Amino acid sequence: MSTTVETVSAAARTAPAAVIVAIDGPSGTGKSSTSKAVAAKLGLSYLDTGAQYRAITWWMLNNGIDVQDAVEVATAAGKPVIVSGTDPAAPTITVDGEDAAGPIRTQEVTSKVSAVSAVPEVRARITELQRSIAAAAEIGIVVEGRDIGTTVLPDADLKIFLTASPEARAARRSGELKGSDLATTKEALIKRDTADSSRKTSPLAKADDAVEVDTTDLTLQQVIECVVTLVEEKRAAK
Ligand SMILES: Nc1ncnc2c1ncn2[C@@H]1O[C@H](COP(=O)(O)OP(=O)(O)OP(=O)(O)O)[C@@H](O)[C@H]1O
Ligand SMILES: Nc1ccn([C@H]2C[C@H](O)[C@@H](COP(=O)(O)O)O2)c(=O)n1
């Protein structure tokens, strides 16, 4: 008996304390790439909350919901079953058991997701899901989105707010969407950020205690190293 207690105590002394990291910022600042890499490097779970808002938007579109009608969206908000896999090496997302990783990235979903994610009932539902996933992460988790540091996990151990100039973000996105026009990409990106920042319920915002990292002139590798260092410092201090 005493051996078991001592063994557990010794394990608790050597195991790193669970660390919760919130990474927020506008579109194209590098949240997903950075969060996945940091989580993989430090053995943490990873949650892409944008994918969850995309998933519920995709379900609404597939089920004939008028996404511009907030009452219709609110009424349907509790219906889809959304499951997020949190392995940073292979994050997954399913809706009602169906793999949604591909379909949630279409232009149609991208253009409608801000309207759906502005509906308070949608946010309440997804926020609850996010908190339960974070609470279940034994070693810790990197959660990325728009309102993680301000609303979802206000007690996170570390909050990062990534920024970059609209020009840099549009260039990064154009690199992904082969052949897309830079000016059109920049315009779409700014439009989505404006909608996400101006909604009433938990808008895109920097938490007062977040560390702001401007990634405009940094390589992705430099951003990852910067965040890994900040997490390691927090872990050491716990
Ligand atoms: N510092 C960087 N330098 C150059 N390219 C970068 C940098 N950070 C990210 N990228 C690239 O920019 C693109 C967008 O990055 P990412 O998807 O991680 O951004 P995001 O903030 O998660 O965007 P969204 O919110 O729209 O999902 C990716 O192709 C990624 O490889
Ligand atoms: N915490 C979050 C995460 C995302 N959203 C909304 C707003 C975004 O435009 C959209 C898609 O996110 P992305 O995949 O581009 O990261 O989802 C939000 O409101 N709150």
Side-chain angles (χ1 to χ4, degrees), residues 87-168:
D87 176 354
T92 57
I93 184 139
T94 63
V95 182
D96 294 341
E98 190 179 342
D99 181 5
I104 62 169
R105 303 288 163 193
T106 61
Q107 202 40 53
E108 193 190 12
V109 172
T110 302
S111 65
K112 306 281 165 49
V113 65
S114 292
V116 173
S117 59
V119 175
E121 288 79 359
V122 169
R123 300 209 72 79
R125 164 100 204 280
I126 300 292
T127 297
E128 190 188 346
L129 183 60
Q130 292 160 357
R131 286 181 179 150
S132 68
I133 292 169
E138 285 176 12
I139 309 289
I141 190 165
V142 181
V143 184
E144 54 117 340
R146 304 291 192 288
D147 63 337
I148 310 306
T150 54
T151 304
V152 179
L153 301 167
D155 296 327
D157 297 294
L158 175 66
K159 300 177 188 178
I160 309 274
F161 194 81
L162 296 183
T163 63
S165 69
E167 291 71 25

Side-chain angles (χ1 to χ4, degrees), residues 27-231:
S27 178
T29 49
K31 299 182 298 298
S32 299
S33 322
T34 304
S35 301
K36 259 187 277 188
V38 169
K41 187 156 189 173
L42 299 176
L44 305 176
S45 298
Y46 160 71
L47 179 61
D48 176 355
T49 64
Q52 296 175 317
Y53 285 104
R54 287 172 177 273
I56 199 164
T57 303
W58 179 64
W59 183 92
M60 299 272 169
L61 292 169
N62 279 351
N63 284 272
I65 308 295
D66 176 359
V67 297
Q68 303 304 332
D69 182 339
V71 175
E72 223 183 295
V73 170
T75 305
K79 293 184 181 170
V81 177
I82 297 168
V83 178
S84 299
T86 58
D87 176 354
T92 57
I93 184 139
T94 63
V95 182
D96 294 341
E98 190 179 342
D99 181 5
I104 62 169
R105 303 288 163 193
T106 61
Q107 202 40 53
E108 193 190 12
V109 172
T110 302
S111 65
K112 306 281 165 49
V113 65
S114 292
V116 173
S117 59
V119 175
E121 288 79 359
V122 169
R123 300 209 72 79
R125 164 100 204 280
I126 300 292
T127 297
E128 190 188 346
L129 183 60
Q130 292 160 357
R131 286 181 179 150
S132 68
I133 292 169
E138 285 176 12
I139 309 289
I141 190 165
V142 181
V143 184
E144 54 117 340
R146 304 291 192 288
D147 63 337
I148 310 306
T150 54
T151 304
V152 179
L153 301 167
D155 296 327
D157 297 294
L158 175 66
K159 300 177 188 178
I160 309 274
F161 194 81
L162 296 183
T163 63
S165 69
E167 291 71 25
R169 296 189 287 125
R172 292 171 189 173
R173 277 273 170 258
S174 290
E176 279 178 340
L177 313 167
K178 302 273 178 273
S180 67
D181 174 64
L182 196 61
T184 311
T185 305
K186 183 174 147 188
E187 198 183 313
L189 195 135
I190 290 173
K191 189 176 168 200
R192 190 148 64 95
D193 288 345
T194 305
D196 295 340
S197 310
S198 59
R199 67 174 173 240
K200 282 205 179 107
T201 311
S202 52
L204 158 65
K206 176 183 170 295
D208 290 341
D209 52 350
V211 179
E212 183 166 333
V213 180
D214 183 346
T215 71
T216 307
D217 298 316
L218 299 179
T219 64
L220 176 56
Q221 204 47 47
Q222 286 173 321
V223 181
I224 293 165
E225 277 163 24
C226 167
V227 176
V228 164
T229 303
L230 290 169
V231 178

